Amino acid sequence: MTGEFERRHGFPPGTNEVRLASRDDQAAARTLAQAILIPADLVTFYDCIGDVTWADIGNGYFLDPASDVLLRLQDYGAVNLGADQKVHGLVIGSNGGGLSYAAGPDGSVHRTRTASLDEPELDKVADDLRQFLELLERSLTRFVVDGEPGSL
């Protein structure tokens, strides 16, 4: 299987895993929940899942650990999700191609149009975390079936 992957894609397989949350991950999620208004489903997610790394699906799909989300929040603040800059969200991951995913306080998930988070333009890609995770799953399934990662 490893040889087939490398032949097909031109590089060896990388890390592809959904890591269960450790006690440290859970503590970071609780701290994050106290620091800013975040959707309850994101807190629940981080209570169970430490992070998601699918390095080999297209450019990759990554959902960062709560500790990284918290550190980014402390260092750079929340990202503006709306044109009026009144709605703020948390950057929770990326697509490995430079675009970031941000979760809004209402649970919606947005993707940046460019790699910059300074004055990001974002598109809503999912109404809530569950829908976003379902889209990720579809991308994984599509990649396994035909080698195309989708457009998420």
Side-chain angles (χ1 to χ4, degrees), residues 92 101-104 107-111 123-129 132:
I92 60 169
Y101 300 112
S108 61
V109 179
H110 304 258
R111 182 189 57 222
D123 295 310
K124 184 174 165 182
V125 294
D127 292 331
D128 56 30
L129 185 62
F132 179 70

Side-chain angles (χ1 to χ4, degrees), residues 32-102:
L32 187 59
Q34 294 171 355
I36 190 170
L37 178 63
I38 66 171
D41 58 353
L42 189 58
V43 175
T44 301
F45 174 83
Y46 279 132
D47 194 46
C48 298
I49 303 297
D51 63 87
V52 175
T53 302
W54 291 347
D56 293 330
I57 311 304
N59 290 327
Y61 290 113
F62 306 92
L63 293 181
D64 300 331
S67 58
D68 288 0
V69 174
L70 180 61
L71 184 61
R72 189 180 303 109
L73 176 64
Q74 292 168 342
D75 289 349
Y76 303 105
V79 65
N80 294 321
L81 296 179
D84 60 8
Q85 299 190 2
K86 292 181 182 177
V87 178
H88 302 286
L90 295 170
V91 176
I92 60 169
S94 70
N95 73 351
L99 303 183
S100 297
Y101 300 112

Side-chain angles (χ1 to χ4, degrees), residues 1 4 8 11 15 29 35 39 45 60 81 92 96 101 130 143:
M1 183 80 154
E4 173 64 21
R8 184 174 185 184
F11 54 89
T15 301
F45 174 83
L81 296 179
I92 60 169
Y101 300 112
R130 179 185 181 122
F143 187 78

